[in-house]
Amino acid sequence: ADSLPEEHSEKVFFECLSAEEAVLQGQCDDCDVLVVDPPRKGLDDAVLQLMLGKHPEKPLPLGMKRMIYISCGFDALERDTRALLSSGLWKLRSVDGFLLFPGSDHIESVVVFDRNG
C-alpha cells in the first residue's frame, strides 16, 4: 500500500491468507459485497458455511448483501449454488459465461447472488 496515493492507502491492504483464515480473522465482517474466485474444488468449507449462516464461530455479516462468485470449475459451482439457494438466504441475480481462452472449451462463470430480505 506504500505506492498508493495517501487518500487511498487506508482503504486498501494486502494479506496472504487462506479463505478460511480470512473469514476467521473477520476480513469480510464489514463488507457489503464479497467477491470469491475459488479453485476448481469450489468454496472452502469455512467460507461456504459462513455464506450459509452455519459457521460455528462466525455469523453471516448483517451488511453482506451480495456475493460475486467467479468459477472455473462447473461441478463445484453447481454444488455451491445448490447449497446457497437451498439455504433460503441467497437468490440468483445473474449468471454469465466468458470464454477467456479462445480455441479452448474452458468457460469462466460469473454468478451474482443477492441476499434475501
Side-chain angles (χ1 to χ4, degrees):
D2 292 338
S3 63
L4 292 173
E6 190 172 323
E7 66 270 14
H8 298 297
S9 64
E10 292 181 14
K11 298 177 184 177
V12 177
F13 63 92
F14 304 93
E15 288 190 66
C16 185
L17 301 170
S18 71
E20 181 174 10
E21 290 170 323
V23 165
L24 293 177
Q25 287 186 16
Q27 296 293 328
C28 60
D29 286 357
D30 294 325
C31 73
D32 51 345
V33 177
L34 179 66
V35 178
V36 295
D37 186 3
R40 289 189 186 279
K41 71 177 182 74
L43 291 173
D44 286 348
D45 190 55
V47 176
L48 184 58
Q49 292 306 309
L50 175 75
M51 301 311 291
L52 297 174
K54 296 180 179 179
H55 194 281
E57 299 175 40
K58 297 291 279 187
L60 180 60
L62 292 175
M64 189 183 298
K65 302 296 183 203
R66 177 169 288 169
M67 178 173 58
I68 301 171
Y69 190 129
I70 303 164
S71 177
C72 63
F74 187 76
D75 292 339
L77 173 62
E78 180 184 18
R79 181 197 66 231
D80 292 347
T81 297
R82 287 183 190 279
L84 291 162
L85 296 179
S86 68
S87 75
L89 294 173
W90 298 96
K91 61 186 172 194
L92 197 57
R93 179 179 177 91
S94 65
V95 180
D96 291 293
F98 297 91
L99 182 60
L100 299 178
F101 306 102
S104 76
D105 62 355
H106 180 79
I107 295 184
E108 289 283 323
S109 301
V110 178
V111 182
V112 179
F113 296 93
D114 281 343
R115 192 163 173 183
N116 282 319

